[in-house]
Amino acid sequence: MAGGPPFELRATHEGLDALVRAIRAEEDGKALRKELAQNMREALKPGAEQAKASIMGMISLDGAQPGLRSSIARKIRPEVKLGGRWSGARVKAFKTKNIRGFPNAPKRTNSARGWRHPVYGNPNVWVHQRGKLEWFDKAFRGREGIYKQAVHEAMENMARRIASRAGNGT
């Protein structure tokens, strides 16, 4: 295994789990794990920015202020988990808990089905509203491979660092 990592590395959950196990075996594993997570988040930041730009482009027919759009955009961020039940990296739109009593705003504005809500000032009248159809999904369409490759490169860089340590005897 000259120059290769002492474990198999694939851009899968199993490959990431193998990398995390190897990091844990290192003396400074906690710092390495933190660095890997940071590098994986950095790899996904352009995707998160694209999704934020997409929701900010949602048109408001009622002339409403951009409060809902900007609240959703603030809740979009890359998420990395190393270990536990789920290991991986993804861009996620988290719930908007304190915005207009509408915690599922990211999900509903992305949906073709839309959502129902009472008219402001008249709680007895309900309306059906639609957001920007698949704003989140379209932000990544055609770019999935780019982000997967960037995350894979972050994993490979860390694997090479660990492999070089093992090869040097440190």
Side-chain angles (χ1 to χ4, degrees), residues 62 102 115-120 122-123 125-130:
D62 300 328
F102 192 19
W115 69 96
R116 286 178 36 89
H117 63 87
V119 173
Y120 181 74
N122 191 350
V125 178
W126 285 68
V127 294
H128 186 83
Q129 191 170 346
R130 286 189 170 79

Side-chain angles (χ1 to χ4, degrees), residues 9 72 74 108:
L9 176 63
I72 292 171
R74 276 194 305 272
R108 296 289 180 232

Side-chain angles (χ1 to χ4, degrees), residues 57-79:
M58 183 173 80
I59 297 170
S60 173
L61 299 176
D62 300 328
Q65 296 178 356
L68 181 63
R69 291 173 289 197
S70 61
S71 297
I72 292 171
R74 276 194 305 272
K75 293 292 191 168
I76 298 171
R77 58 184 167 266
E79 178 185 43

